[in-house]
Amino acid sequence: MIKIKISYQNAQELHTVLRLLHPVIKSCKLAKEQRGEYKKAYVILK
């Protein structure tokens, strides 16, 4: 299992990265508190 933390500024950036990783993504969760300039998403790969 591989865990990746993705930092992004807008939803389009996150969507682009998730589209590229789509074949190997097991799950994706957004951070609860999205404060500051960068937002975070946590991805687990197969």
Side-chain angles (χ1 to χ4, degrees), residues 2-4 6 11 13 17-18 26-27 32 34 46:
I2 299 171
K3 296 180 183 180
I4 299 174
I6 300 171
E13 291 175 348
V17 171
L18 293 178
K26 184 175 181 182
S27 70
K32 290 182 182 179
Q34 298 285 354
K46 298 178 188 175

Side-chain angles (χ1 to χ4, degrees), residues 19-31:
R19 189 172 34 125
L20 292 171
L21 293 174
H22 176 71
V24 293
I25 290 178
K26 184 175 181 182
S27 70
C28 177
K29 292 184 181 181
L30 301 178

